[in-house]
Amino acid sequence: MSTMTREEIERGLAENRQAPGGAARNAHAEALSAAAEATGDRPLFRAALDNQINAYLYSSESPKMLVPFARLLQEYDKDPAAFDEWDAHSLFWQFKWIASAIGHSPEIPLESAAGWLDEMERRYRIAGYSERPVREAELWLADATADDERAGRAYTRWQTADRDDMSDCHACELNSQGHYAMLRGDDAEALEVWQPVLSGEQTCAEEPHRILATSLLPLVRLGRFDEARSAHLRGYRLARDKESLLPSVGRHIEFCALTGNESRGLEILAEHAAHVAPLANLSDQLAFHGGILVLLRRLTELGHGQSPAVPYEGSPRTVSELYEALRAGSLEIAKRFDARNGSTRVSERFLARIGGAPLTAVLPLGVRSSALAALPQPGPAPAARPAAPAEGFAELVERARAARDLGHPGADALWEEVALRPEATAGSDPLAAADVADHRALAAARAGAADAPELLAGVRERYRELGNAERAALAELRLATVAAQSGTEAGELRGLLAVALRAAEALDADEPLRTRRIALVELTGIRVESYLRSVEATEDAGHGHADGQEHGHGHSELAAELTAFADAYAAALPDVVAEAEEMLGRLALSQGDPERAVTLLAASADRSVAAGRPWLAVDPLVLRAGVLMSLDRTAEAEESARAGLTHAAEVTGTEAQGVVRLTLADILLGRGEADAEAARHALEAAHWFDQAGLTADGGAQARLLLARCHARQGHIAEAAEVLQSTLPDLLEHGEGQAVSAREFLGDLLRDLNDPRGAAEQYLLAAELSEDWEDPRPQANFAQAAADQLSEARLVPEAVAAYERALDLRRRSKDAPVAEVRILRSLAWLGLRDVVTDAAVAGARARMGEAAEVLTAALADAPEDREARAELAETWNQLAQVLDRRVRADEEAHEEADEEAYQEGDQGEGARGSGPAEPLGAAELEALRLEEILLWERAAALHAELGPDHLQARFQCVNNAAWTEHELGRPEAGAARVSALAAEVRALPEGVAPEWLLESAERTTEHLLRTSS
């Protein structure tokens, strides 16, 4: 037998209504119902049953609502008069939930389900409600039983029936209508129906959450990829923490599996690992597990079947093991539905879903996801490919050589293809074999492989044996380059360069590439000599032999050498000269001459394009764009970046593709004219950086930029999802960026009405900046955190944060307005929970401090309009504090009178039950007079500030007028308002808001009427 009192049960019900949906809330609701029943208090029991039904609804145990609903219906049948209008409405509304719960319970026979539907129809008809909800319930029951003809009739009757108080909200109805269209194979119609919800025009407690999830695959199938991406980012954020939306979570997992985002799907699965288990709602389980099965199947197809998934039934499972377990369990559930429904529709739809094919190779989402584990590389094929025609091989080799000689980015891929041909190793073409070996040696050199010198030396010898002196000379140069990269001693390195130069100069005069080979050695020598000079200068400085001019002299010498080189080869080798000019441009930057750098980088790009090698123009154009941005020449910067993106079409380097897109996105965002395009480039940049293995570096910067683009477009949820996913990476990019990222995320969460999350980010930003010399950033973060903690009703935490911010503001001594707003916030926090005399005194003291701060600030700057406005607001709020004390006294009297009526006259003792001491008549009059005085002061200051402050002035005058009324002087109050109205009428048309005069006239009329 329960020992809970009525008050404890009522308090428990209030707490339970605010608790998050789930098993814990349900168990508490069950206990409260049992306790309420034990009291014998029927109204309390009915309230507990209603709460229990609502608890089940917002969880994965919704079918359990059948029992408490049946009991509540019995209560209604026993005594309908005991249900007031709201209680009766709630009971009939819950009939719709029951109809849905029955459909989700295969153990309920079809006859019973139909019986409940008939009962719902009968009761609605008797109560005078429309048949609209009944027909919707009939539609889904007919659909489950594959009675499409009946479903069609039900749909038509549903749509033609009148809407009334029992109709679902528009958002929920649109969900069902669009879902029905989608099941009939009409994605376009479904999306058209859902549009008001997707656009935010129609919303409710569970919409757009569900529609965002359901619309994902239709959007992708119709090629509306940007909308699908947005729906995923927005929708998953809304659904992730709600147990009743597990089917929606399953749709997000399925979407990831079918759009090349398997790793993202795995992360979502891991977040919901606790729910990968039998659920009370079998329909929800089928929907949730169905999405998971699509992901697990895709992972298996990609070779990850033996990778770990999430535990199931208490045991770790691989992807394949979890797939088999969930598939078997889901098919068993589907068969139970089929048996109940007398059709195979549920099984057929389920099998079709889990066998769905990918809809696109990859749809970049913008959020950071961990890459799937690398798979073991397969060994060599057991049998060689069938021989290709000899002409085909020769043609391929010629294309590869042409691309190589041109320096085309696609040359490597062509040589890889050559290497796979049997002829490359058959010995029939020794030169082709040497070229393949050359390609592999160069790849090793680029990767910094230890055996690169040995491989290059071998290539050199093979070319010498074949009489190809030009390629042998190039190999000599590459040997010198590898030596430079590996830190070879200066003398040996200079010797290798000398050998390379002699080899180039020894080429026959009629060798077409002789000049190029010589030029490349010379340019490499200029680079190397510059490096060696800097090393030697550093060593000399360490021994006290170098002066401060050495570094600048080295730059001047390098610039002179590069300029001479460019002059010598400008006509013969424009692409090589372009490389020298790019070096000169970078050198100019390091010397603090950005204007010269801009000119040189442009010349470099132009030479590369003119030489038929536009891909070489990408780097100088991107660098030039960045320099132009630093010079605030944004239009030119955009033009340069766009040219770089155009010329990057044939670039195969993934990092380069990421850099050029990130640069353009940054410029566009900075210009503020093309946020959507900037977001697209930032998204693509993140994708390319991921492909380059730079997710935590360039990828993080691209995602930060993408989040800013989303925020600028008003896509706050998408921005928060992207930023939160990459936040761990950004925190490693230095303290400044970590603080900025946390502040940005705090702003986003604040705008998403997540005050706790926002406060956490602001506090972490404050912690990161606490050692900074300037206390103002930390003060800003502490104050922002306090505002959010106050919004979240975390009063002690908010007070602590405000006190911290106040101390920091006072240390900075330059933000009186911010200090004042903190003081006022602290004043009101003291009155939030209960109004006591001590709390009122504390609030009055805080407001007094605020007024003193502003008075001091105005003494130094009498014309500071912001400070004057804040002083007026401080007096206004102090008056409101006093008014709060007056209202608390009135409420205490009302409560005492009510208790006296209910429990008998208890004399003056009842008046002392409130938290504040009762006020006498004189005390009340004094407080009201002080309120009027404060509002007069505030109104006078607002008057000095001019017409822009009319609204604030009217509020103060209006408050003073009504307080006059409370003092029994309504005529005086009316006179105050009339005087202000007369001033307003004398103002030019359009200065005062239209509502102000209308409100003043109504107030004056009411006050005068009460005085007569």
Side-chain angles (χ1 to χ4, degrees), residues 125-400:
R125 185 171 60 253
I126 292 173
Y129 292 123
S130 167
E131 69 169 349
R132 191 176 180 90
V134 179
R135 300 285 76 84
E136 182 182 0
E138 181 187 5
L139 161 67
W140 295 118
L141 185 61
D143 178 72
T145 59
D147 191 343
D148 293 334
E149 185 178 343
R150 182 185 179 190
R153 291 197 305 270
Y155 182 84
T156 300
R157 293 179 65 185
W158 168 31
Q159 295 303 294
T160 55
D162 293 335
R163 286 186 56 83
D164 64 6
D165 288 347
M166 278 299 117
S167 299
D168 281 342
C169 74
H170 283 290
C172 287
E173 283 205 340
L174 291 174
N175 178 5
S176 294
Q177 292 167 21
H179 193 72
Y180 185 58
M182 185 185 72
L183 290 176
R184 298 197 317 274
D186 195 335
D187 288 338
E189 181 185 344
L191 290 168
E192 183 178 353
V193 169
W194 288 330
Q195 187 54 36
V197 180
L198 293 173
S199 66
E201 181 183 338
Q202 298 288 344
T203 62
C204 71
E206 289 196 328
E207 296 301 350
H209 316 41
R210 295 179 300 172
I211 288 178
L212 285 167
T214 312
S215 68
L216 290 169
L217 297 190
L219 285 167
V220 177
R221 285 194 289 260
L222 293 176
R224 294 161 64 172
F225 299 132
D226 290 343
E227 294 171 76
R229 178 188 304 111
S230 176
H232 170 65
L233 296 178
R234 291 170 55 205
Y236 180 60
R237 186 174 192 86
L238 292 170
R240 62 157 42 110
D241 296 323
K242 295 179 174 60
E243 189 177 278
S244 63
L245 293 178
L246 285 174
S248 294
V249 172
R251 292 186 183 279
H252 283 282
I253 293 174
E254 179 183 13
F255 163 78
C256 291
L258 299 181
T259 57
N261 291 287
E262 294 83 6
S263 59
R264 166 79 168 170
L266 266 180
E267 290 173 356
I268 297 175
L269 173 59
E271 289 182 21
H272 295 84
H275 294 111
V276 185
L279 303 178
N281 187 325
L282 295 180
S283 182
D284 281 5
Q285 180 178 336
L286 206 60
F288 178 46
H289 288 185
I292 296 171
L293 283 167
V294 178
L295 172 66
L296 297 175
R297 193 203 80 237
R298 280 293 300 144
L299 289 170
T300 302
E301 291 171 351
L302 294 172
H304 295 278
Q306 299 310 307
S307 299
V310 296
Y312 182 68
E313 295 181 333
S315 301
R317 303 289 178 128
T318 65
V319 167
S320 295
E321 289 169 345
L322 184 60
Y323 176 82
E324 294 301 330
L326 294 187
R327 187 176 188 276
S330 297
L331 287 177
E332 191 275 329
I333 292 172
K335 289 176 181 176
R336 288 169 60 186
F337 274 108
D338 288 346
R340 192 277 299 269
N341 297 337
S343 78
T344 59
R345 170 153 289 178
V346 173
S347 292
E348 289 172 356
R349 283 180 176 168
F350 183 78
L351 288 169
R353 179 188 185 190
I354 66 173
L359 298 174
T360 184
V362 60
L363 172 59
L365 300 176
V367 289
R368 187 204 201 283
S369 291
S370 300
L372 295 174
L375 296 171
Q377 294 299 314
R385 292 186 181 187
E391 295 80 9
F393 177 71
E395 181 184 28
L396 176 61
V397 170
E398 285 307 311
R399 285 199 297 118

Side-chain angles (χ1 to χ4, degrees), residues 622-787:
V622 170
L623 179 58
R624 180 174 181 268
V627 177
L628 287 166
M629 278 296 289
S630 72
L631 297 172
D632 290 328
R633 291 159 60 180
T634 54
E636 294 173 79
E638 180 182 342
E639 180 183 2
S640 186
R642 287 193 184 280
L645 182 60
T646 299
H647 296 321
E650 295 179 272
V651 172
T652 57
T654 50
E655 182 178 1
Q657 293 286 359
V659 169
V660 66
R661 285 166 171 78
L662 180 58
T663 302
L664 179 54
D666 193 22
I667 292 169
L668 291 173
L669 186 66
R671 295 197 71 185
E673 297 174 0
D675 295 336
E677 185 186 358
R680 176 168 58 82
H681 291 306
L683 176 70
E684 292 174 357
H687 174 69
W688 282 110
F689 282 125
D690 289 348
Q691 297 299 305
L694 298 171
T695 297
D697 300 307
Q701 297 305 318
R703 287 185 171 88
L704 175 59
L705 193 64
L706 176 59
R708 295 197 183 283
C709 293
H710 282 323
R712 282 268 289 270
Q713 293 176 277
H715 302 159
I716 307 302
E718 293 97 311
E721 279 293 291
V722 170
L723 183 58
Q724 280 184 302
S725 75
T726 200
L727 184 63
D729 296 326
L730 294 172
L731 297 179
E732 301 298 320
H733 288 201
E735 192 175 80
Q737 182 149 91
V739 169
S740 176
R742 288 206 181 278
E743 179 186 16
F744 182 25
L745 181 55
D747 293 346
L748 294 173
L749 295 175
R750 178 199 61 205
D751 294 344
L752 287 171
N753 297 316
D754 181 3
R756 288 175 181 252
E760 179 185 11
Q761 294 305 320
Y762 292 139
L763 289 172
L764 288 168
E767 184 179 324
L768 284 169
S769 60
E770 64 184 359
D771 294 330
W772 292 4
E773 184 176 347
D774 184 354
R776 287 174 296 181
Q778 188 186 357
N780 290 337
F781 298 136
Q783 188 168 354
D787 290 342

Side-chain angles (χ1 to χ4, degrees), residues 797-814:
E797 294 86 348
V799 169
Y802 275 129
E803 294 286 5
R804 178 183 180 185
L806 184 61
D807 177 64
L808 291 164
R809 294 293 186 200
R810 286 173 171 168
R811 281 165 49 192
S812 67
K813 299 179 181 179
D814 66 346

